[in-house]
Amino acid sequence: MLHLRLITPTDRTDEAVRMIERTVGTTHLVVLPGAARNPAGDVVMCDVAREAGDELLTRLQGMDLDRTGAITVEDIDLTLSRRADKAEAEAPGEPADAVLWEHLVEETHEESTLSVTYVAFITLATMIAACGVVLDNAVLIVGAMAVGPEFGPLAGISTSLVQRAPRLALRSLTALLVGFAAAMALTVGFSLLMDAAGLFTQAKLEGQRPNTNFVYAPDWFSFVVALLAGAAGTLSLTSAKSGALVGVAISVTTVPAAANAAVALSYGDTRQTLGSTEQLLLNLLGIVVAGTLTLLAQKAFWAGQRERARQLG
């Protein structure tokens, strides 16, 4: 379940309380008149089934409480209450399927912010992958995939397309493009440094690499895997199953392709540079397309659930 804490102007409290009471799936309603000081007003708290949370949040925002007061949402790990069990049973759908759109927008907003930490992670991941492609070491490739933070901006682009949020789209696209550009540029320098130290050689890059030659040889399987991974990653975000993101990260060839392109560029290998860049773009496109379609399907599903609930009610 979710715990909602509202700060409401005194003249809007009754309306907010009535709205909560009319929402199927709510319980544990508490009203504290005059308890809020900044901003001044009343404090209203309640618990709501996750599957009913998005509709209630939309209605409360329609009252402008996010501007005149405050709306705070927290996940509840454990509630021992028959009333809570009853509220969850009455709410339409299943908690694991519920999508909190405002939470998704906020989460992807944070994950898609261009910051020093974001650039550091994607650069380090690309450098690890560079070592992996030169040494033909699949373990290093998998490690680099897990470290890479690029799924955040990709999810942000999908969310912005579905929610029509141009600011989130611009922020996500900026983080994605600037992040990869900086990582690849720094990895070119890293490759030249490793070559000067005798640790990287062009012969290793252009030799037989049975474990890692896929990073510069894009095909339809690459796109199919990107689609599947994009759908899985989006579901992991919307259902709070964040552990699945690790599996998604090591399923797509984004960071390794960028690394191979950077190393190949440092040696003037046009064939591998272009092939790796195509692989990178193909995977990015597949993830965004799948993520957007998944969110659209979830939005349509919950719209149907709400309509059926209204008809039954």
Side-chain angles (χ1 to χ4, degrees), residues 111-242:
E111 293 294 329
S112 60
T113 299
L114 183 64
S115 62
V116 173
T117 301
Y118 173 83
V119 174
F121 266 116
I122 198 168
T123 300
L124 291 171
T126 306
M127 289 180 177
I128 293 172
C131 295
V133 297
V134 172
L135 297 176
D136 194 34
N137 189 316
V139 175
L140 291 177
I141 293 294
V142 171
M145 289 175 170
V147 172
E150 73 279 5
F151 191 81
L154 292 170
I157 293 173
S158 296
T159 302
S160 67
L161 292 175
V162 174
Q163 293 295 94
R164 298 179 182 179
R167 289 186 179 180
L168 178 59
L170 180 60
R171 178 185 292 268
S172 301
L173 190 61
T174 299
L176 192 67
L177 296 180
V178 174
F180 268 114
M184 292 173 72
L186 291 171
T187 301
V188 169
F190 173 73
S191 177
L192 294 173
L193 181 63
M194 294 291 280
D195 180 78
L199 298 174
F200 281 10
T201 65
Q202 188 168 1
K204 289 182 179 180
L205 179 71
E206 297 180 351
Q208 294 295 321
R209 291 194 284 141
N211 294 318
T212 59
N213 59 10
F214 66 92
V215 299
Y216 61 88
D219 54 24
W220 280 107
F221 280 106
S222 301
F223 189 67
V224 169
V225 171
L227 289 174
L228 297 174
T234 302
L235 285 174
S236 73
L237 287 178
T238 58
S239 64
K241 304 280 186 189
S242 58

Side-chain angles (χ1 to χ4, degrees), residues 6 37 51 57 67 81 85 100 112 117 130 136 140 172 193-194 227 239 246 250 264 308-309:
L6 313 177
R37 293 292 181 268
E51 55 269 39
L57 288 174
R67 297 182 181 182
S81 167
D85 294 339
L100 297 176
S112 60
T117 301
D136 194 34
L140 291 177
S172 301
L193 181 63
M194 294 291 280
L227 289 174
S239 64
V246 177
I250 61 177
R308 282 192 291 273

